Amino acid sequence: SVEPYVLLADGHPLAEQSEISLDDLKEEPLVLLDSPPSRDYFLSLFDGVEWDPRVAHTSSSFEMVRGMVGHGLGYSLLATKPASAMTYDGKALITRPLASKLKPSDVVLAKKTGVTLSPEAQAFTAFCRQTFAG
């Protein structure tokens, strides 16, 4: 399970806070990762609030979402964190945890029953189990 977090452009006023509540985001434009099941998951995080997020931009590309946030077009909610806190075009990004505990996103690895994995797939499976074990 991975916890959702807020992604902001470096210099965004909310980046000064150590954690961010959903209500802090009420007037901010959302850059939504629009690929299944991400879209439904991230929008469901707002089910407990009495307002709808202001979806300003969408993209099915994770890196495009990061790029739009880096250029100050809004914030995003994401669950996975790449190693770099920079966009592909060099804009700095800031991550902040959400103030309230929201439902995590589950990461799963699946394979078809009866299929023998290649040595590379076996190594990847072992890596995933080790990385996500705790």
Side-chain angles (χ1 to χ4, degrees):
S1 293
V2 290
E3 299 291 330
Y5 64 90
V6 181
L7 183 69
L8 301 163
D10 186 31
H12 190 288
L14 290 176
E16 296 177 9
Q17 297 177 201
S18 61
E19 59 182 21
I20 297 172
S21 73
L22 289 179
D23 283 336
D24 292 334
L25 302 170
K26 185 176 184 177
E27 301 300 323
E28 299 289 328
L30 170 62
V31 180
L32 180 64
L33 180 58
D34 192 5
S35 61
S38 297
R39 177 186 178 87
D40 292 339
Y41 168 67
F42 291 119
L43 290 176
S44 77
L45 298 177
F46 294 93
D47 286 349
V49 298
E50 296 180 5
W51 50 272
D52 292 325
R54 294 180 47 222
V55 178
H57 305 281
T58 65
S59 177
S60 60
S61 164
F62 182 79
E63 289 300 334
M64 178 62 80
V65 167
R66 287 170 41 87
M68 286 191 280
V69 169
H71 280 272
L73 299 179
Y75 73 94
S76 191
L77 296 177
L78 297 172
T80 57
K81 289 185 184 174
S84 176
M86 302 289 280
T87 64
Y88 282 163
D89 62 346
K91 300 291 183 182
L93 297 167
I94 304 295
T95 62
R96 292 292 180 260
L98 286 159
S100 54
K101 183 83 167 160
L102 299 173
K103 64 182 174 185
S105 177
D106 292 330
V107 177
V108 298
L109 180 64
K111 74 172 189 77
K112 187 174 179 180
T113 303
V115 172
T116 302
L117 297 177
S118 68
E120 295 83 4
Q122 290 176 24
F124 179 72
T125 300
F127 172 80
C128 289
R129 285 191 174 130
Q130 179 181 4
T131 301
F132 295 106

